[in-house]
Amino acid sequence: MDRLLVKNIGVLATPEGRSAKGGKAQGEIRTLRNAWVRIEGGLITGLGSGEPEGTENARILDAGGRLATPGLVDAHTHLVFGGWRQNELALKLRGTPYLDILAQGGGILSTVRATRAASEKELEDKARLALDEMLAFGTTTCEAKSGYGLDKETELHQLRVIRALDGSHPIDLVPTFLGAHALSEEYKNDRQGYIRLLCGDIIPAIAAEGLASFCDVFCETGVFTAEESRTILEAGKAHGLLPKIHADEIDPIGGSRLAGEIGAVSAEHLIVCPPEGIAAMAAGGTAACLLPATSFYLGAAYAPAREMVSAGVPVALATDFNPGSCPCLNMQLVMSLGCLKYRLTPEEVLSAVTLNAAAAIKRAESVGSLEPGKLGDLVIWDGPDLNYICYRLGSNLAHTVIKKGVPYGKE
Ligand code: NIG
Ligand code: FE
């Protein structure tokens, strides 16, 4: 069996466990000095400090005294889409609000037109380039949503592209159905008709093909109400798709409360999450998946992350990579913003982009920490410690990214 030994790690920093960490535990990180990790058949089979063990016939990778952490998990992306939306920059600079652009048939709906016009091959090639860049920045597992089709054919296309990329790209992909991302132009005067299409036709078809693990809804003013979101997420649940929800991004219309009530795996954005939403999430065991680069890009406020940590809600951080509100796939920038804007400590941030992010996509059994039995997914950083990684801004500090025991980048 192939065996990789990563040795001479200056500092190894990792959360521990197979479930999300809330409250004080979110900041508890195991640190080993002068460390090594052994990976066999893609899985971690040993790690420790000092003299490496079980090194016979191993390929050696010398980390040169650098920091090592688990591979980063990006728990919220809209990876597959046609076109870009650079034309919206000028609109934003003139002060046009995000929801106004959408209401005028732009925004998400313009990406829907470009996505419908693209072939599966074009969508796949484009998303593959994004994944290459994500891997180079340290992401080794990534959630990916549909939601730019808004019709059966294109939604299924997007999910099939995600499945194909999961099989052919080193990054592991976790698929989410987000047909409830907007009302399509055809259904803009028939909300109930679109919800019936989602619940009665598209969700069953996706479940039958095993194309998604999660069902997500954009619960927002002018998009889907909390009650409509409940209907869609319950239909998903009935077909084995676990609920996630875009909640309280622009207006607090009850998304976080709903998330807690229905036991959503995660609620996302939460920029304007009220205290009762935080309480409901704590009670429902819902993780908060926060997207600070989106706040930055929209010039919006930042989610009340410290209040969430205090309430025991596990906080994950993700990019929200998409062509409108956040054309950014750099998890390192997200980590820095997590410290600077949410006032999370570097240790809390590390849990947020590894173990808690893994838990937010139900992968904490296999990724999110460096422990025997988990996948051999690591980042060797161009830096000595975690503080340095969070403190530097805008550079790519990932030196070598290891996915299932295979190194990418500099060695
Ligand atoms: O998570 N908020 C809704 N959906 C995306 C944006 C999608 C877009 O603008 O294309 C988000 O920010
Ligand atoms: Fe999103």
Side-chain angles (χ1 to χ4, degrees), residues 265-300:
V265 177
S266 65
E268 333 271 313
H269 287 288
L270 302 168
I271 291 175
V272 290
C273 184
E276 64 268 23
I278 298 178
M281 289 169 61
T286 299
C289 185
L290 305 184
L291 312 167
T294 307
S295 286
F296 174 76
Y297 207 78
L298 293 177

Short mmCIF file of all heavy atoms in Angstrom, two decimals, residues 265-300:
data_model
loop_
_atom_site.label_atom_id
_atom_site.label_comp_id
_atom_site.label_asym_id
_atom_site.label_seq_id
_atom_site.Cartn_x
_atom_site.Cartn_y
_atom_site.Cartn_z
N VAL A 265 -29.37 21.21 9.38
CA VAL A 265 -27.97 20.90 9.67
C VAL A 265 -27.20 22.20 9.86
O VAL A 265 -26.37 22.33 10.76
CB VAL A 265 -27.36 20.05 8.53
CG1 VAL A 265 -25.88 19.78 8.79
CG2 VAL A 265 -28.12 18.74 8.40
N SER A 266 -27.47 23.18 8.99
CA SER A 266 -26.81 24.48 9.13
C SER A 266 -27.73 25.57 8.61
O SER A 266 -28.60 25.32 7.78
CB SER A 266 -25.50 24.50 8.34
OG SER A 266 -25.77 24.37 6.95
N ALA A 267 -27.49 26.77 9.13
CA ALA A 267 -28.10 27.98 8.56
C ALA A 267 -26.94 28.86 8.11
O ALA A 267 -25.89 28.89 8.76
CB ALA A 267 -28.96 28.69 9.58
N GLU A 268 -27.13 29.54 6.99
CA GLU A 268 -26.01 30.22 6.33
C GLU A 268 -26.25 31.72 6.29
O GLU A 268 -27.39 32.17 6.33
CB GLU A 268 -25.88 29.70 4.90
CG GLU A 268 -26.38 28.26 4.71
CD GLU A 268 -25.34 27.18 4.95
OE1 GLU A 268 -24.24 27.34 4.41
OE2 GLU A 268 -25.63 26.21 5.65
N HIS A 269 -25.19 32.48 6.21
CA HIS A 269 -25.20 33.96 6.18
C HIS A 269 -25.43 34.53 7.58
O HIS A 269 -24.49 34.95 8.22
CB HIS A 269 -26.24 34.53 5.21
CG HIS A 269 -25.88 34.37 3.77
ND1 HIS A 269 -24.89 35.09 3.17
CD2 HIS A 269 -26.38 33.56 2.82
CE1 HIS A 269 -24.79 34.75 1.89
NE2 HIS A 269 -25.68 33.80 1.67
N LEU A 270 -26.71 34.67 8.00
CA LEU A 270 -27.06 35.08 9.36
C LEU A 270 -26.52 36.45 9.73
O LEU A 270 -26.23 36.72 10.91
CB LEU A 270 -26.55 34.01 10.36
CG LEU A 270 -27.10 32.60 10.13
CD1 LEU A 270 -26.34 31.57 10.97
CD2 LEU A 270 -28.60 32.53 10.46
N ILE A 271 -26.40 37.32 8.73
CA ILE A 271 -25.83 38.66 8.97
C ILE A 271 -26.68 39.43 9.97
O ILE A 271 -26.17 40.12 10.84
CB ILE A 271 -25.72 39.43 7.62
CG1 ILE A 271 -24.65 38.79 6.74
CG2 ILE A 271 -25.43 40.90 7.85
CD1 ILE A 271 -24.54 39.39 5.34
N VAL A 272 -28.01 39.32 9.82
CA VAL A 272 -28.91 40.08 10.71
C VAL A 272 -29.69 39.12 11.62
O VAL A 272 -30.85 39.36 11.94
CB VAL A 272 -29.87 40.98 9.88
CG1 VAL A 272 -29.09 42.12 9.23
CG2 VAL A 272 -30.62 40.18 8.81
N CYS A 273 -29.04 38.04 12.03
CA CYS A 273 -29.71 37.03 12.86
C CYS A 273 -30.08 37.61 14.23
O CYS A 273 -29.21 38.11 14.96
CB CYS A 273 -28.74 35.85 13.04
SG CYS A 273 -29.46 34.47 13.93
N PRO A 274 -31.37 37.57 14.60
CA PRO A 274 -31.77 38.12 15.90
C PRO A 274 -31.46 37.13 17.03
O PRO A 274 -31.26 35.95 16.77
CB PRO A 274 -33.29 38.29 15.74
CG PRO A 274 -33.68 37.27 14.72
CD PRO A 274 -32.50 37.05 13.82
N PRO A 275 -31.45 37.62 18.29
CA PRO A 275 -31.14 36.73 19.42
C PRO A 275 -32.04 35.50 19.47
O PRO A 275 -31.58 34.40 19.79
CB PRO A 275 -31.37 37.62 20.65
CG PRO A 275 -31.17 39.02 20.14
CD PRO A 275 -31.62 39.03 18.71
N GLU A 276 -33.33 35.64 19.10
CA GLU A 276 -34.21 34.45 19.18
C GLU A 276 -33.83 33.42 18.11
O GLU A 276 -34.04 32.22 18.28
CB GLU A 276 -35.70 34.81 19.12
CG GLU A 276 -36.19 35.44 17.84
CD GLU A 276 -36.14 36.97 17.88
OE1 GLU A 276 -35.36 37.54 18.67
OE2 GLU A 276 -36.88 37.60 17.08
N GLY A 277 -33.24 33.89 17.01
CA GLY A 277 -32.75 32.96 15.98
C GLY A 277 -31.56 32.17 16.51
O GLY A 277 -31.46 30.95 16.29
N ILE A 278 -30.67 32.85 17.20
CA ILE A 278 -29.51 32.17 17.79
C ILE A 278 -29.99 31.13 18.80
O ILE A 278 -29.52 29.97 18.80
CB ILE A 278 -28.54 33.19 18.45
CG1 ILE A 278 -28.00 34.17 17.40
CG2 ILE A 278 -27.40 32.46 19.17
CD1 ILE A 278 -27.06 35.24 17.95
N ALA A 279 -30.96 31.52 19.62
CA ALA A 279 -31.48 30.58 20.64
C ALA A 279 -32.12 29.37 19.96
O ALA A 279 -31.93 28.22 20.40
CB ALA A 279 -32.49 31.30 21.53
N ALA A 280 -32.87 29.61 18.89
CA ALA A 280 -33.54 28.49 18.20
C ALA A 280 -32.49 27.55 17.59
O ALA A 280 -32.65 26.31 17.64
CB ALA A 280 -34.45 29.03 17.10
N MET A 281 -31.43 28.12 17.04
CA MET A 281 -30.39 27.27 16.45
C MET A 281 -29.67 26.46 17.52
O MET A 281 -29.36 25.28 17.32
CB MET A 281 -29.39 28.13 15.66
CG MET A 281 -29.99 28.69 14.38
SD MET A 281 -28.95 29.94 13.62
CE MET A 281 -27.48 28.98 13.31
N ALA A 282 -29.42 27.09 18.66
CA ALA A 282 -28.76 26.36 19.77
C ALA A 282 -29.67 25.20 20.18
O ALA A 282 -29.20 24.06 20.37
CB ALA A 282 -28.50 27.30 20.93
N ALA A 283 -30.97 25.45 20.29
CA ALA A 283 -31.90 24.40 20.74
C ALA A 283 -32.04 23.30 19.69
O ALA A 283 -32.21 22.13 20.02
CB ALA A 283 -33.26 25.02 21.04
N GLY A 284 -31.96 23.68 18.42
CA GLY A 284 -32.19 22.69 17.35
C GLY A 284 -30.94 21.96 16.89
O GLY A 284 -31.01 21.12 15.99
N GLY A 285 -29.79 22.32 17.47
CA GLY A 285 -28.54 21.66 17.06
C GLY A 285 -28.10 22.07 15.66
O GLY A 285 -27.45 21.31 14.94
N THR A 286 -28.44 23.30 15.25
CA THR A 286 -28.09 23.80 13.92
C THR A 286 -26.76 24.56 13.98
O THR A 286 -26.58 25.42 14.84
CB THR A 286 -29.21 24.74 13.42
OG1 THR A 286 -30.42 24.00 13.34
CG2 THR A 286 -28.89 25.34 12.06
N ALA A 287 -25.86 24.25 13.06
CA ALA A 287 -24.59 24.99 12.99
C ALA A 287 -24.81 26.29 12.22
O ALA A 287 -25.68 26.37 11.34
CB ALA A 287 -23.53 24.15 12.29
N ALA A 288 -24.01 27.30 12.54
CA ALA A 288 -24.03 28.57 11.79
C ALA A 288 -22.90 28.52 10.77
O ALA A 288 -21.75 28.29 11.13
CB ALA A 288 -23.81 29.74 12.74
N CYS A 289 -23.25 28.71 9.51
CA CYS A 289 -22.21 28.74 8.48
C CYS A 289 -22.10 30.20 8.02
O CYS A 289 -22.99 30.70 7.31
CB CYS A 289 -22.58 27.81 7.34
SG CYS A 289 -21.27 27.70 6.13
N LEU A 290 -21.07 30.88 8.46
CA LEU A 290 -20.95 32.32 8.24
C LEU A 290 -20.03 32.61 7.06
O LEU A 290 -19.06 31.89 6.82
CB LEU A 290 -20.43 33.00 9.51
CG LEU A 290 -21.25 32.72 10.78
CD1 LEU A 290 -20.68 33.52 11.96
CD2 LEU A 290 -22.71 33.04 10.58
N LEU A 291 -20.34 33.71 6.36
CA LEU A 291 -19.72 33.99 5.06
C LEU A 291 -19.18 35.42 5.06
O LEU A 291 -19.78 36.32 4.45
CB LEU A 291 -20.77 33.77 3.96
CG LEU A 291 -21.56 32.44 4.10
CD1 LEU A 291 -22.79 32.43 3.20
CD2 LEU A 291 -20.66 31.26 3.78
N PRO A 292 -18.07 35.67 5.73
CA PRO A 292 -17.62 37.05 5.92
C PRO A 292 -17.19 37.74 4.63
O PRO A 292 -17.28 38.96 4.52
CB PRO A 292 -16.44 36.92 6.89
CG PRO A 292 -15.96 35.51 6.74
CD PRO A 292 -17.18 34.71 6.42
N ALA A 293 -16.74 36.96 3.63
CA ALA A 293 -16.32 37.60 2.38
C ALA A 293 -17.54 38.17 1.65
O ALA A 293 -17.42 39.14 0.89
CB ALA A 293 -15.56 36.61 1.51
N THR A 294 -18.72 37.58 1.88
CA THR A 294 -19.95 38.12 1.28
C THR A 294 -20.32 39.44 1.94
O THR A 294 -20.69 40.40 1.26
CB THR A 294 -21.10 37.10 1.42
OG1 THR A 294 -20.66 35.86 0.89
CG2 THR A 294 -22.34 37.55 0.67
N SER A 295 -20.22 39.50 3.26
CA SER A 295 -20.46 40.78 3.95
C SER A 295 -19.53 41.85 3.40
O SER A 295 -19.93 42.97 3.10
CB SER A 295 -20.22 40.64 5.46
OG SER A 295 -21.26 39.93 6.06
N PHE A 296 -18.27 41.48 3.25
CA PHE A 296 -17.27 42.41 2.73
C PHE A 296 -17.66 42.87 1.33
O PHE A 296 -17.66 44.07 1.02
CB PHE A 296 -15.89 41.72 2.71
CG PHE A 296 -14.81 42.53 2.07
CD1 PHE A 296 -14.24 43.60 2.73
CD2 PHE A 296 -14.38 42.24 0.78
CE1 PHE A 296 -13.25 44.36 2.12
CE2 PHE A 296 -13.39 42.99 0.17
CZ PHE A 296 -12.82 44.06 0.84
N TYR A 297 -18.05 41.92 0.50
CA TYR A 297 -18.32 42.23 -0.91
C TYR A 297 -19.59 43.06 -1.07
O TYR A 297 -19.68 43.92 -1.95
CB TYR A 297 -18.42 40.93 -1.72
CG TYR A 297 -18.05 41.15 -3.16
CD1 TYR A 297 -16.71 41.26 -3.55
CD2 TYR A 297 -19.02 41.31 -4.14
CE1 TYR A 297 -16.36 41.51 -4.86
CE2 TYR A 297 -18.68 41.56 -5.45
CZ TYR A 297 -17.34 41.66 -5.81
OH TYR A 297 -17.00 41.92 -7.10
N LEU A 298 -20.59 42.79 -0.23
CA LEU A 298 -21.85 43.53 -0.32
C LEU A 298 -21.78 44.84 0.48
O LEU A 298 -22.72 45.63 0.45
CB LEU A 298 -23.02 42.69 0.23
CG LEU A 298 -23.41 41.44 -0.57
CD1 LEU A 298 -24.53 40.69 0.14
CD2 LEU A 298 -23.85 41.82 -1.99
N GLY A 299 -20.69 45.05 1.20
CA GLY A 299 -20.61 46.23 2.06
C GLY A 299 -21.67 46.16 3.16
O GLY A 299 -22.23 47.17 3.58
N ALA A 300 -21.93 44.94 3.62
CA ALA A 300 -22.98 44.72 4.62
C ALA A 300 -22.35 44.58 6.01
O ALA A 300 -21.13 44.63 6.17
CB ALA A 300 -23.75 43.45 4.26
#
